[in-house]
């Protein structure tokens, strides 16, 4: 096996233009959390467990708060384990199916944050360890994502569609120079592990236009490898030191039983992915379900109807939703949630911005691509989940040389409870400790900054 951690990946966001935020519902003071239910392993391709008996199915309508609580619980957010292990990290994938990868390292690698949100302090080598163990792999699932190896057969339809479905700049290399792509594939198999820069250079890359568009400047080496990766002819892991993709033959990364698994029909595979999305979301619209694994809405809609007919999804009306909702038959009941965590901008709870606003009344847009003068809340802004509400947002930066977690701005949402500053201070202090930083410093920007600074002093 190869250790995990390539060229910078495209950083996309499922975001629409930010609207003025509506008042958030006040969060209740958190009660002691119920013990988290044991995570289940992903079902084999083609199955996601039996439907819940009709007697245990929820009513056909949900309040906005109940829908919000179901969504949070389905994402595995709530009480954290007393002592998290690699097996707990594997259990996160059982709940949410995938973690989006992003190269942003302002605080830490973005893919580390979903584990922090659900597990709290844990070994920061958990994701590389799971890759080395052959438990997870990287592929284009939502965006570039880590997901259980058992899901690889469900994505073979996407691999087969690479010639038409991959990014245009990537698939054009296969159209323009198929001989070169074949030669690169041979190099990967001959060497067993290779990075783009280890291939013979083929002329200068295109001029970079901006930081956000830098990946379009890939040269033919990177494009050929990216096409082979997208088409499933090779796979990749990450360098633990440079984040660079290390490309390898499939059998160097994926277990034999996965490679030998039968390939389901595209509709069967996509139906299973929609069901996994429903389990991860708890309650969702067709648009939400389609977005999770990037399946088109026209394809998703009849698959949802099939799952309703099979009793796997339950149509519901949700207070405040304009579109019909669908409840996973095994979704957790809408109990009170005792969550207290920071969320990555790419966390699956909030990555679809329209859903985030619909469920949490939280208008959210990451601003790393926005000129500094136009940023409202800062550069790398993380939502803060307290109970069943997103109550604040903070712009964070890890100053590793100074051993400090910088809070460059802190803003409370309308209706945030009086306990928000203290709860956020506790979360930031624990988070800094996990990052190996000595202190948390809050800059006086934002309406929550001064109360947060006082709470941080009190927490020392």
């Amino acid at each position: 096996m190869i250790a995990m951690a390539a060229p910078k990946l495209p950083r996309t966001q499922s975001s629409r233009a930010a609207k003025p935020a509506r008042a958030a519902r006040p969060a209740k003071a958190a009660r002691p959390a119920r013990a988290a239910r044991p995570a289940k392993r992903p079902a084999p391709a083609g199955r996601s467990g039996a439907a819940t008996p009709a007697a245990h199915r929820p009513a056909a309508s949900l309040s906005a708060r109940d829908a919000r609580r179901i969504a949070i619980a389905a994402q595995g957010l709530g009480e954290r384990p007393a002592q998290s292990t690699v097996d707990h990290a594997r259990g996160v994938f059982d709940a949410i199916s995938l973690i989006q990868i992003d190269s942003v390292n302002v605080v830490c690698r973005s893919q580390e944050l979903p584990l922090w949100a659900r597990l709290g302090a844990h070994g920061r080598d958990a994701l590389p360890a799971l890759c080395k163990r052959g438990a997870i792999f990287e592929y284009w699932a939502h965006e570039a994502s880590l997901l259980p190896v058992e899901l690889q057969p469900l994505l073979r339809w996407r691999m087969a569609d690479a010639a038409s479905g991959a990014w245009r700049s990537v698939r054009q290399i296969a159209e323009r120079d198929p001989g070169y792509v074949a030669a690169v594939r041979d190099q990967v198999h001959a060497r067993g592990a290779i990075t783009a820069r280890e291939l013979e250079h083929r002329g200068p890359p295109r001029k970079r236009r901006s930081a956000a568009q830098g990946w379009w400047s890939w040269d033919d080496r990177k494009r050929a490898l990216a096409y082979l990766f997208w088409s499933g002819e090779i796979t990749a892991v990450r360098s633990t030191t440079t984040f660079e993709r290390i490309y390898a033959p499939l059998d160097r990364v994926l277990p034999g039983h996965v490679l030998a698994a039968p390939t389901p029909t595209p509709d069967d595979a996509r139906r299973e992915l929609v069901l996994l999305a429903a389990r991860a979301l708890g309650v969702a619209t067709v648009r939400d379900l389609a977005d999770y694994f990037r399946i088109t809405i026209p394809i998703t809609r009849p698959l949802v109807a099939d799952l309703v007919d099979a009793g796997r999804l339950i149509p519901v009306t949700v207070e405040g939703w304009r579109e019909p909702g669908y409840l996973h038959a095994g979704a957790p009941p809408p109990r009170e949630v005792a969550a207290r965590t920071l969320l990555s901008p790419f966390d699956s709870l909030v990555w679809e911005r329209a859903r985030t606003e619909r469920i949490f009344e939280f208008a959210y847009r990451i601003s790393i691509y926005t000129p500094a003068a136009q940023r409202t809340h800062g550069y790398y802004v993380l939502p803060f989940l307290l109970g069943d509400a997103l109550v604040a947002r903070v712009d964070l930066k890890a100053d590793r040389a100074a051993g400090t977690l910088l809070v460059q701005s802190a803003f409370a949402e309308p209706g945030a409870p009086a306990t928000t500053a203290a709860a956020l201070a506790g979360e930031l202090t624990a988070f800094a400790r996990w990052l190996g930083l000595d202190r948390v410093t809050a800059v006086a920007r934002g309406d929550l900054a001064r109360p947060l600074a006082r709470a941080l002093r009190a927490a020392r």
Side-chain angles (χ1 to χ4, degrees):
M1 290 297 184
I2 309 168
M4 186 190 107
K8 286 190 176 181
L9 295 176
R11 298 190 293 272
T12 63
Q13 58 179 336
S14 302
S15 175
R16 300 180 180 181
K19 301 176 183 177
R22 295 194 296 267
R25 299 176 186 273
K28 290 185 177 179
R31 298 177 187 169
R34 292 174 172 82
R37 296 184 301 172
K40 298 179 181 178
R41 291 288 183 204
R47 300 200 308 273
S48 280
T52 302
H56 299 289
R57 291 177 185 168
S61 63
L62 291 170
S63 69
R65 170 160 283 189
D66 283 351
R68 188 163 60 249
R69 289 175 171 177
I70 289 170
I72 294 169
Q75 282 281 304
L77 291 156
E79 184 183 29
R80 293 159 166 167
Q83 187 171 1
S84 297
T85 66
V86 174
D87 287 339
H88 286 104
R90 178 63 181 82
V92 170
F93 287 93
D94 296 335
I96 65 176
S97 289
L98 58 88
I99 290 177
Q100 184 175 334
I101 297 172
D102 194 85
S103 60
V104 175
N105 196 23
V106 177
V107 178
C108 62
R109 295 291 182 195
S110 178
Q111 56 270 21
E112 292 187 72
L113 287 168
L115 290 187
W116 165 264
R118 291 155 180 84
L119 304 179
H122 63 281
R124 292 189 63 187
D125 62 346
L127 292 175
L130 288 173
C131 286
K132 188 174 183 180
R133 186 188 286 186
I136 61 175
F137 77 113
E138 179 179 342
Y139 188 63
W140 292 102
H142 179 73
E143 296 291 332
S145 307
L146 293 169
L147 62 160
V149 294
E150 290 84 359
L151 301 192
Q152 194 266 357
L154 300 181
L155 290 159
R156 290 175 186 166
W157 61 271
R158 178 165 291 159
M159 299 170 185
D161 289 347
S164 59
W167 305 323
R168 183 179 179 185
S169 70
V170 169
R171 68 176 186 263
Q172 280 183 336
I173 184 67
E175 301 166 359
R176 172 168 51 85
D177 199 344
Y180 177 69
V181 174
V184 170
R185 180 179 58 243
D186 292 344
Q187 282 287 303
V188 174
H189 283 272
R191 299 195 193 188
I194 194 170
T195 63
R197 55 190 169 81
E198 291 175 303
L199 291 170
E200 183 178 352
H201 189 54
R202 291 190 94 207
R206 293 181 183 178
K207 183 179 179 181
R208 284 184 73 143
R209 290 178 290 175
S210 71
Q213 298 170 321
W215 50 282
W216 290 114
S217 67
W218 285 0
D219 60 21
D220 282 354
R221 298 174 299 176
K222 292 182 180 180
R223 290 193 183 96
L225 287 166
Y227 179 81
L228 291 165
F229 174 72
W230 194 303
S231 65
E233 296 187 60
I234 62 174
T235 188
V237 292
R238 295 280 178 169
S239 164
T240 55
T241 56
T242 66
F243 196 64
E244 188 174 17
R245 270 193 185 141
I246 303 171
Y247 294 91
L250 296 179
D251 60 6
R252 290 287 300 272
V253 176
L254 296 171
H257 72 273
V258 171
L259 296 176
T263 300
T265 67
D267 273 353
D268 285 346
R270 291 186 288 240
R271 187 181 298 107
E272 184 69 12
L273 292 173
V274 170
L275 189 56
L276 289 170
R279 185 178 70 181
L281 295 172
V283 60
T285 65
V286 169
R287 188 178 302 274
D288 299 335
L289 295 170
D291 175 74
Y292 207 82
F293 283 99
R294 292 292 202 252
I295 303 171
T296 66
I297 292 175
I299 289 176
T300 301
R301 200 175 298 282
L303 300 178
V304 169
D306 290 347
L307 292 168
V308 170
D309 290 344
R312 299 295 187 87
L313 296 182
I314 303 165
V316 292
T317 58
V318 181
E319 178 190 1
W321 290 23
R322 295 181 179 179
E323 299 176 40
Y326 296 90
L327 183 72
H328 188 275
R335 298 173 181 147
E336 189 166 358
V337 179
R340 190 195 78 174
T341 191
L342 297 162
L343 296 170
S344 162
F346 308 104
D347 192 287
S348 47
L349 182 69
V350 296
W351 66 25
E352 214 301 299
R353 310 306 191 205
R355 174 179 167 87
T356 302
E357 186 165 358
R358 181 186 347 120
I359 292 180
F360 294 100
E361 297 184 333
F362 187 88
Y364 180 45
R365 183 185 179 103
I366 188 172
S367 297
I368 57 178
Y369 314 115
T370 304
Q374 299 175 25
R375 294 175 193 146
T376 303
H377 299 104
Y379 177 74
Y380 195 61
V381 178
L382 278 63
F384 179 52
L385 176 67
L386 182 62
D388 63 9
L390 295 174
V391 299
R393 60 188 90 201
V394 286
D395 179 19
L396 298 184
K397 180 179 180 179
D399 185 342
R400 298 173 181 91
T404 301
L405 179 62
L406 296 174
V407 184
Q408 303 186 114
S409 72
F411 293 86
E413 290 298 291
T419 57
T420 296
L424 179 56
E427 173 73 0
L428 288 167
T429 300
F431 183 53
R433 188 181 306 119
W434 178 66
L435 293 173
L437 303 174
D438 300 323
R439 66 189 68 84
V440 183
T441 301
V443 174
R445 179 170 182 251
D447 60 352
L448 190 60
R450 292 187 185 279
L452 177 60
R454 289 193 296 269
L456 286 168
R457 288 193 295 270
R460 288 173 186 165

